[in-house]
Amino acid sequence: MKLRKKLVHTAATGASLAAYLYSQNTRFQTTHYRIPIHQLAVENVGIKVAQLSDLHFPYIKINQNKLIQKLVQEQPDLIFLTGDQMDAAEPERWYELHTFLKRVSAIAPSYAIMGNHDHVNPNNEAIYQGTGVTFLNNQAESITLPDRLPLLIMGVSEPSFVAKRKAKNLIKKVYVRPEWQEQTKLLLAHRPELFEKYQADAEKAPDLTFSGHAHGGQVRIKGIGGLFAPGQGRLPKHTAGVFSLASDTHKKLVVSRGLGPSHFPLRVNNRPELVIVTLVRE
């Protein structure tokens, strides 16, 4: 009898653990931030940005229909895809992402950049053609939403190995017209650990940077945060949440935990995340 109870208890514990891990890796949650922007125009207060990061198609495990439904419900003004839309392991399956991007861009103006996985994908141009998503590769675009003042949206490409370590200015290649320089600047940049290098040029320095890449540190512990992130190593600093630049606290960084899996097989205490940012006056 005791053995039977022990076996039942063990089975129940195993089933609970399996259900927990399944939920952690397949059910996304939505995180809302209200981020103050220095000198934000009154007309642009309340602009809402949805951030989708690290989808890793075709390995994405969350329910795509539910994600689209949630985006429709949130009614964002802009949608940013901050890299690693594709997984480098199967670049030939890009058509699955292509179909998804069409659904995203039908909701709101959408912008995307490369991550380290996208960088090695030979189908990058084909992925975005005809989807309605604007692909920014070291480029900037000024956009005026209905009843708003212009915003500047910038996107940097995945930096080279040398640039990540030696270059001081990772926004150097982005051309910003003189008449755009006073606009609120939003930057899509995949790697959060390079936050300071996106701020090197005072005339182009973004007010708010959107990043991913860290996958939330993979395993998160309360009071500690993530345990490991590529490019940051153990106990990384930038894995999720909102950060301020040490030298200028007006400059902000928001880091998404991402929506897809990494090569590490499991998320623990670290569900996939849809980020919704609302711009407010500082």
Side-chain angles (χ1 to χ4, degrees):
M1 182 66 76
K2 289 183 178 180
L3 178 60
R4 183 179 178 182
K5 286 184 177 180
K6 187 175 181 179
L7 290 174
V8 169
H9 176 73
T10 300
T13 301
S16 296
L17 178 60
Y20 168 76
L21 291 175
Y22 179 81
S23 173
Q24 286 288 298
N25 289 270
T26 61
R27 293 181 58 197
F28 71 91
Q29 65 184 103
T30 305
T31 303
H32 291 85
Y33 299 113
R34 292 175 60 84
I35 300 183
I37 302 297
H38 186 56
Q39 296 183 339
L40 180 70
V42 173
E43 293 85 351
N44 289 340
V45 170
I47 285 178
K48 186 186 287 188
V49 182
Q51 182 189 8
L52 284 63
S53 197
D54 299 271
L55 293 162
H56 283 271
F57 271 84
Y59 300 128
I60 185 169
K61 296 179 180 179
I62 64 171
N63 187 309
Q64 295 174 43
N65 290 330
K66 289 185 178 179
L67 177 58
I68 293 295
Q69 289 169 8
K70 184 61 177 175
L71 284 170
V72 170
Q73 178 186 334
E74 289 287 347
Q75 296 183 316
D77 298 289
L78 295 163
I79 299 175
F80 291 169
L81 296 106
T82 49
D84 283 1
Q85 282 76 248
M86 281 291 298
D87 194 280
E90 293 198 56
E92 69 279 1
R93 291 177 62 182
W94 60 269
Y95 57 88
E96 297 177 34
L97 172 61
H98 185 86
T99 300
F100 175 78
L101 293 176
K102 288 182 178 179
R103 300 177 70 187
V104 168
S105 68
I107 299 168
S110 302
Y111 294 82
I113 57 166
M114 283 192 292
N116 53 299
H117 279 257
D118 307 297
H119 184 66
V120 299
N121 193 321
N123 300 304
N124 260 319
E125 290 188 13
I127 288 171
Y128 296 97
Q129 286 177 355
T131 63
V133 175
T134 301
F135 180 58
L136 297 175
N137 187 11
N138 287 323
Q139 294 167 299
E141 181 175 297
S142 179
I143 180 173
T144 304
L145 298 167
D147 302 317
R148 304 285 191 177
L149 291 184
L151 287 169
L152 187 63
I153 301 173
M154 304 181 290
V156 293
S157 65
E158 173 69 9
S160 67
F161 178 85
V162 173
K164 279 182 285 188
R165 284 155 178 75
K166 295 186 177 182
K168 296 181 180 179
N169 181 1
L170 290 181
I171 205 168
K172 184 177 181 179
K173 294 181 180 179
V174 179
Y175 174 66
V176 175
R177 296 179 184 177
E179 63 267 27
W180 294 348
Q181 289 179 3
E182 297 303 315
Q183 297 176 15
T184 293
K185 300 175 183 68
L186 307 180
L187 175 68
L188 286 71
H190 185 61
R191 293 177 177 267
E193 71 270 20
L194 303 176
F195 184 27
E196 291 186 0
K197 293 188 176 185
Y198 305 136
Q199 302 285 341
D201 188 329
E203 292 185 346
K204 303 179 193 175
D207 298 287
L208 178 58
T209 301
F210 293 78
S211 294
H213 185 59
H215 288 267
Q218 213 58 58
V219 175
R220 297 187 66 80
I221 297 175
K222 188 175 181 179
I224 296 177
L227 296 188
F228 180 84
Q232 298 183 67
R234 300 185 186 91
L235 300 179
K237 179 181 179 182
H238 299 120
T239 59
V242 181
F243 304 85
S244 297
L245 188 69
S247 59
D248 183 354
T249 56
H250 296 310
K251 306 297 185 181
K252 302 291 196 306
L253 167 73
V254 58
V255 184
S256 166
R257 299 198 308 269
L259 285 158
S262 71
H263 288 172
F264 184 84
L266 296 173
R267 287 174 175 262
V268 180
N269 197 27
N270 178 31
R271 282 168 56 190
E273 179 183 46
L274 167 65
V275 170
I276 305 292
V277 170
T278 301
L279 307 185
V280 298
R281 281 175 67 84
E282 193 170 46

